[in-house]
Amino acid sequence: MVGVAALIWAMAVVTPVSAQPLAQGVAALSRQDYQRASQIFIPLAERGNASAQAYLGFLFETGRGVPQNYTEAAMWYRRAAEQGDSLAQYSLGLLYDRGQGVPRDIVEASKWLNLSTAAAPPKAREARQRIRDAVTRKMSRDEIAQARLKALEWAPTREH
């Protein structure tokens, strides 16, 4: 915990002023002050900050600091995913696979999981590949082709 606090403090010292509120939200999240984290993330997310949107999606998905709401989680994950946030893409793909907050759609799930895996940091890539492959095993060849085409046609769009 001391190491996490030191890292967050170090980030705040060298981070531009515009990113400091995000670091404060992450710090609140790491100390399990979910209500404070949500208060910090909401205005940032509304202004288009993809990282804040992804964190807010997590809070709504898990019901931490806000009422659990899969539809709201999916909306925030989508906004971040559309901007290229790979963790939000992964989380949105899982929601589509389970039909939580969105209609169950295996093609959309696969699209988002493919994009997430391609953009994953090296340490997360193998785990995301396993989940993506598990979803792919449930699909027909036509569905796999549709999902791959959607992933190839996708391009990130910034909100602001």
Side-chain angles (χ1 to χ4, degrees):
M1 192 66 167
V2 173
V4 171
L7 176 63
I8 291 170
W9 181 83
M11 284 176 44
V13 171
V14 296
T15 304
V17 173
S18 62
Q20 285 182 356
L22 183 67
Q24 292 168 355
V26 172
L29 193 64
S30 70
R31 65 177 181 270
Q32 299 180 358
D33 185 353
Y34 302 119
Q35 189 161 5
R36 179 69 184 133
S38 69
Q39 292 169 348
I40 294 169
F41 292 142
I42 288 171
L44 294 171
E46 288 172 344
R47 288 195 303 269
N49 183 299
S51 294
Q53 292 167 343
Y55 283 121
L56 194 54
F58 168 77
L59 293 176
F60 276 106
E61 181 181 4
T62 59
R64 294 181 176 156
V66 294
Q68 186 176 38
N69 184 326
Y70 291 118
T71 303
E72 193 79 8
M75 186 266 300
W76 288 114
Y77 283 147
R78 175 175 302 285
R79 286 180 65 178
E82 291 290 353
Q83 294 188 71
D85 185 288
S86 76
L87 186 55
Q89 292 169 339
Y90 176 74
S91 299
L92 183 60
L94 294 178
L95 291 182
Y96 271 110
D97 182 50
R98 297 185 304 243
Q100 292 177 314
V102 292
R104 187 169 187 279
D105 186 333
I106 200 80
V107 172
E108 278 296 299
S110 181
K111 172 187 108 174
W112 289 114
L113 292 171
N114 273 323
L115 289 167
S116 169
T117 300
K123 290 182 179 180
R125 190 167 295 126
E126 186 178 324
R128 290 188 193 179
Q129 285 172 336
R130 281 195 302 273
I131 298 298
R132 180 204 58 202
D133 294 349
V135 169
T136 302
R137 284 191 289 276
K138 299 187 275 185
M139 300 171 70
S140 69
R141 286 184 182 180
D142 185 51
E143 289 170 326
I144 293 168
Q146 287 176 43
R148 287 182 179 163
L149 181 59
K150 284 183 165 199
L152 286 171
E153 292 174 340
W154 178 84
T157 54
R158 294 282 174 218
E159 288 189 13
H160 299 288

